[in-house]
């Protein structure tokens, strides 16, 4: 998992310079491409962990781990068909899940931007402002005039900003999940409570 996180950071840093000269539309497409890549990395890592865990744990322990995993992932895990199938979600339920998941991925994209070096992030934001209100088809591949040099942040400032961004992201994720579950029929809410099992205390990531 640590290797996966390091690979993600490396990918973000490599992506930054490319985004500076892209139009907002190309930048959005590239960020979505990065999200898909990250999801693949996470799934590959998870599949490998699942195989190794099944070789170690007893069935009762595996069940409890699954409960804790659902607690950690939150209600957004219902976007996973393996999790959602027992709930027999209606079309309206599925739409609510997809809407919540989209809001979640949008906030994750904001988090990704915050993990980029401050100088690159500032230049991307300046470039986006330069294109604001323009016809997307007519937007140039790069600003007509050079952008003003970004003021670099200190490592401490960058770390503090990233920590705040992650805390805000986590608060938003929890709020989206709670709102999603509150919109579900009572029977499905009860199923979810059963699926996540007894309480488990995680480290508070919202601070």
């Amino acid at each position: 998992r640590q290797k996966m996180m390091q690979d993600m950071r490396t990918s973000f840093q490599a992506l930054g310079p490319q985004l500076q000269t892209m139009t907002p539309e190309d930048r959005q497409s590239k960020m979505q491409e990065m999200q898909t890549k990250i999801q693949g990395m996470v799934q590959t890592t998870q599949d490998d962990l699942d195989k190794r865990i099944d070789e170690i744990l007893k069935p009762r322990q595996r069940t409890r781990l699954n409960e804790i995993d659902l607690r950690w992932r939150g209600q957004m895990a219902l976007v996973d068909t393996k999790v959602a199938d027992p709930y027999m979600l209606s079309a309206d339920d599925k739409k609510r899940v997809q809407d919540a998941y989209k809001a979640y991925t949008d906030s994750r994209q904001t988090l990704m931007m915050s993990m980029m070096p401050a100088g690159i992030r500032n230049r991307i934001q300046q470039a986006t402002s330069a294109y604001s209100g323009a016809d997307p088809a007519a937007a140039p591949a790069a600003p007509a005039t050079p952008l003003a040099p970004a003021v670099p942040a200190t490592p401490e400032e960058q770390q503090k900003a990233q920590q705040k961004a992650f805390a805000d992201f986590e608060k938003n994720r929890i709020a989206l999940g709670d709102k999603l579950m509150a919109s579900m029929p009572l029977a499905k809410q009860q199923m979810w409570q059963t699926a996540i099992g007894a309480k488990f205390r995680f480290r508070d990531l919202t601070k």
Side-chain angles (χ1 to χ4, degrees):
R1 192 174 294 271
Q2 290 180 345
K3 182 180 183 300
M4 180 189 70
M5 294 301 294
Q6 182 58 49
D7 289 344
M8 287 171 59
R9 292 191 187 96
T10 301
S11 297
F12 293 150
Q13 291 173 355
L15 179 64
Q18 301 177 40
L19 297 178
Q20 293 184 63
T21 57
M22 290 182 179
T23 65
E25 291 73 25
D26 289 343
R27 189 177 302 117
Q28 178 74 12
S29 176
K30 194 68 176 178
M31 292 292 284
Q32 290 176 345
E33 179 185 321
M34 176 61 73
Q35 286 190 9
T36 300
K37 179 180 178 180
I38 290 172
Q39 289 172 357
M41 292 167 63
V42 171
Q43 189 61 55
T44 298
T45 301
Q46 188 61 52
D47 290 345
D48 181 58
L49 286 174
D50 285 343
K51 291 178 183 177
R52 294 165 63 185
I53 289 171
D54 286 339
E55 295 172 356
I56 298 171
L57 298 183
K58 297 177 181 179
R60 184 168 60 86
Q61 293 173 319
R62 189 65 168 105
T63 297
R64 180 53 179 154
L65 181 61
N66 288 341
E67 293 172 351
I68 295 172
D69 177 62
L70 277 183
R71 277 187 173 273
W72 174 254
R73 293 167 67 187
Q75 297 89 333
M76 225 61 66
L78 289 170
V79 77
D80 182 345
T81 55
K82 292 186 292 186
V83 175
D85 282 349
Y87 291 81
M88 300 178 65
L89 299 178
S90 66
D92 287 342
D93 292 336
K94 291 178 180 178
K95 184 178 185 305
R96 283 192 285 267
V97 170
Q98 290 296 331
D99 288 347
Y101 188 72
K102 182 181 183 304
Y104 162 73
T105 55
D106 287 347
S107 66
R108 185 173 61 188
Q109 181 170 318
T110 300
L111 176 66
M112 289 168 59
M113 285 287 289
S114 74
M115 293 179 68
M116 293 179 181
I120 293 175
R121 184 172 64 251
N122 291 342
R123 290 177 66 83
I124 291 172
Q125 291 170 342
Q126 290 177 27
T128 301
S129 297
Y131 292 129
S132 179
D135 180 358
T145 57
L147 295 170
V151 178
T154 66
E156 292 77 12
E157 290 173 337
Q158 186 171 335
Q159 182 180 23
K160 185 176 180 180
Q162 289 179 355
Q163 289 174 341
K164 182 181 183 305
F166 189 85
D168 290 344
F169 166 79
E170 186 65 11
K171 290 175 184 176
N172 186 54
R173 182 185 70 83
I174 293 171
L176 285 170
D178 289 345
K179 182 178 179 180
L180 170 62
M181 190 51 58
S183 71
M184 293 286 184
L186 181 59
K188 292 183 173 63
Q189 294 182 36
Q190 294 171 337
M191 284 181 65
W192 176 258
Q193 289 302 317
T194 300
I196 62 178
K199 289 184 178 181
F200 185 88
R201 184 167 181 168
F202 297 103
R203 182 166 66 91
D204 189 354
L205 300 178
T206 65
K207 298 179 180 178

